[in-house]
């Protein structure tokens, strides 16, 4: 299935039904008076969270969404039937915006959570509401209100405990496949990963966390170059960032370049706890660097090899420690 993390749709809620203008007519009840019922409310257009979904692909092919109209009021003061809501199921992490104003309408973060993105119109009042001492036979009833209509944009931001950040060929996909049951595409060429992948990393004592492999960033990704801008939004929802730089590169320079891209995209991303994993250590004799890497920040450094398993268990424990250090309000 093709990954889709953006969709633009046009939604129209249902109109309220007309109120009825009617007078009671029974054989033994002369001059029964007005009894026209109210119109039913129009249906809403609603987003609903579904933890089983991981893409917005279905909405890519459903540009126009309409809810049902409310029914007209009935006799005997009976209210017309409300219009059926139109419910759109979306993956957790979906953010919805008004396409014209860019107003943020809400975000789906829990299973079965709902957000009304277009409100149905209220039904009109029947003529019995308008009876008074001076108007015993009101002839009019209200027309139902028009339902809301708008264009909305949906953006999916993957929810994961740990996000992998690195340039192409840093070994992110290899690490994800080594730590979890995820099967990302792996190859010795740039942009092997063209869509985000999620994997659940488990421990023998039943602990676990979710890891996201974000497609490789290139320099100036924040300006729309390469694939980075399209997927940088997914990093926003990760609690810990695991930077990955190959030992066969200028480690400090690449790490600082990654920091720069994140800072240019959203400066607050640098407030997240981070770890620097120096990858592909199997390429170095004795699995040791000639000189230790010294960073200008407090990121913890670990040298790993996903191909041989070198320090992989230690990396899992380090990530777990970082996750446990985060205050509950930061992860909510």
């Amino acid at each position: 299935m093709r990954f889709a993390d953006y969709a633009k749709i046009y939604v129209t809620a249902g109109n309220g039904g007309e109120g009825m203008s009617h007078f009671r007519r029974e054989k033994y009840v002369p001059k029964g008076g007005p009894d026209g019922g109210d119109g039913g409310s129009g249906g809403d257009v609603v987003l609903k969270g579904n933890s089983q979904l991981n893409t917005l692909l279905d909405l890519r092919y459903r540009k126009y969404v309409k809810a049902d109209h409310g029914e007209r009021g009935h006799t005997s003061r009976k209210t017309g039937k409300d219009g059926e809501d139109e419910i759109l199921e979306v993956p957790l992490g979906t953010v919805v915006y008004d396409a014209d104003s860019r107003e943020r309408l809400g975000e789906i973060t829990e299973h079965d959570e709902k957000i009304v993105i277009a409100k149905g119109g209220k039904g009109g009042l029947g003529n019995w509401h308008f009876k008074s001492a001076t108007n015993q036979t009101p002839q009019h009833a209200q027309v139902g209100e028009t339902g809301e209509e708008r264009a909305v944009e949906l953006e999916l931001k993957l929810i994961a405990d740990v996000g992998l950040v690195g340039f192409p060929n840093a070994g992110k996909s290899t690490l994800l496949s080594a730590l979890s049951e995820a099967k990302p595409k792996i190859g010795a060429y740039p942009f092997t990963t063209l869509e985000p992948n999620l994997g659940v990393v488990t421990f023998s004592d039943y602990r676990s966390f979710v890891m996201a492999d974000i497609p490789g960033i290139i320099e100036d990704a924040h300006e729309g170059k390469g694939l980075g801008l399209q997927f940088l939004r997914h990093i926003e929802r990760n609690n810990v960032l695991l930077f990955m730089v190959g030992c066969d590169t200028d480690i400090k320079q690449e790490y600082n370049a990654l920091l720069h891209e994140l800072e240019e995209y959203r400066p607050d991303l640098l407030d997240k706890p981070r770890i620097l994993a120096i990858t592909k250590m199997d390429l170095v004799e004795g699995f040791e660097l000639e000189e230790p890497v010294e960073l200008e920040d407090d990121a913890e450094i670990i040298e790993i090899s996903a191909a041989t398993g070198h320090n992989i268990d230690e990396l899992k424990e380090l990530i777990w420690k970082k996750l446990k250090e985060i205050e509950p309000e930061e992860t909510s």
Side-chain angles (χ1 to χ4, degrees):
M1 179 182 292
R2 182 183 173 189
F3 185 84
D5 66 348
Y6 173 86
K8 182 177 181 180
I9 57 176
Y10 300 87
V11 296
T12 305
N15 298 332
E18 295 180 356
M20 175 172 259
S21 179
H22 186 270
F23 294 89
R24 187 176 178 187
R25 296 288 186 268
E26 293 183 33
K27 185 175 182 180
Y28 301 106
V29 186
K31 299 181 180 180
D35 71 344
D38 302 340
S41 297
D44 302 331
V45 180
V46 181
L47 292 186
K48 180 181 178 182
N50 185 338
S51 59
Q52 301 300 312
L53 298 178
N54 57 14
T55 175
L56 295 172
L57 185 62
D58 290 347
L59 296 180
R60 284 277 190 91
Y61 304 104
R62 194 178 177 191
K63 291 291 186 183
Y64 299 93
V65 177
K66 294 182 178 181
D68 291 340
H69 300 311
E71 289 186 354
R72 187 183 183 190
H74 300 290
T75 59
S76 302
R77 301 187 183 183
K78 293 180 180 177
T79 301
K81 183 180 178 182
D82 292 340
E84 291 286 336
D85 293 340
E86 188 65 34
I87 298 178
L88 307 175
E89 295 194 344
V90 295
L92 307 189
T94 299
V95 184
V96 58
Y97 300 90
D98 183 283
D100 297 322
S101 66
R102 288 301 293 174
E103 175 191 359
R104 189 176 185 273
L105 304 178
E107 179 177 5
I108 297 290
T109 58
E110 298 180 2
H111 184 69
D112 285 339
E113 181 181 359
K114 293 181 179 179
I115 297 175
V116 176
I117 57 175
K119 183 70 177 174
K122 293 182 179 179
L125 298 178
N127 69 332
W128 74 272
H129 286 280
F130 304 103
K131 180 181 177 180
S132 67
T134 57
N135 186 7
Q136 296 290 317
T137 57
Q139 301 290 328
H140 74 281
Q142 287 183 337
V143 177
E145 294 180 357
T146 302
E148 290 183 332
E149 182 176 358
R150 67 189 349 155
V152 297
E153 294 180 333
L154 305 177
E155 291 183 358
L156 174 60
K157 300 178 182 180
L158 292 181
I159 300 176
D161 298 306
V162 184
L164 304 182
V165 183
F167 289 117
N169 282 354
K172 301 185 302 298
S173 298
T174 302
L175 178 64
L176 183 66
S177 63
L179 290 177
S180 71
E181 295 298 320
K183 303 298 180 185
K185 183 180 179 182
I186 300 172
Y189 51 91
F191 298 118
T192 302
T193 303
L194 299 179
E195 59 190 44
N197 292 294
L198 287 179
V200 179
V201 181
T202 59
F203 295 78
S204 58
D205 56 2
Y206 303 106
R207 291 176 293 162
S208 66
F209 58 82
V210 179
M211 178 176 282
D213 171 20
I214 310 299
I217 300 170
I218 66 169
E219 290 192 41
D220 296 328
H222 66 277
E223 296 179 353
K225 295 184 179 179
L227 301 174
L229 183 63
Q230 184 178 358
F231 296 110
L232 275 171
R233 67 171 68 98
H234 297 298
I235 299 175
E236 299 174 25
R237 297 305 307 273
N238 303 154
N239 295 323
V240 173
L241 302 182
L242 178 59
F243 287 75
M244 300 185 64
V245 176
C247 67
D248 53 347
T249 64
D250 186 327
I251 297 171
K252 188 173 180 179
Q253 179 181 346
E254 287 216 358
Y255 174 71
N256 288 332
L258 290 168
L259 287 179
H260 174 72
E261 291 305 317
L262 266 59
E263 184 176 26
E264 290 296 315
Y265 175 68
R266 262 188 62 171
D268 61 327
L269 291 179
L270 299 190
D271 296 333
K272 295 178 179 288
R274 53 185 181 268
I275 300 168
L276 171 60
I278 301 174
T279 65
K280 306 179 184 179
M281 289 301 296
D282 53 292
L283 301 179
V284 181
E285 185 176 353
F287 294 91
E288 291 185 2
L289 297 174
E290 293 183 4
E291 297 181 5
V293 177
E294 295 184 0
L295 302 178
E296 297 172 359
D297 57 27
D298 58 356
E300 295 196 49
I301 301 174
I302 185 169
E303 301 168 3
I304 66 169
S305 168
T308 65
H310 177 69
N311 277 347
I312 292 299
D313 288 338
E314 289 78 1
L315 174 61
K316 289 169 61 176
E317 291 293 344
L318 179 56
I319 293 171
W320 183 261
K321 185 187 78 170
K322 286 288 187 184
L323 290 172
K324 294 297 102 179
E325 289 175 354
I326 301 174
E327 295 297 325
E329 62 266 22
E330 293 183 50
T331 59
S332 61

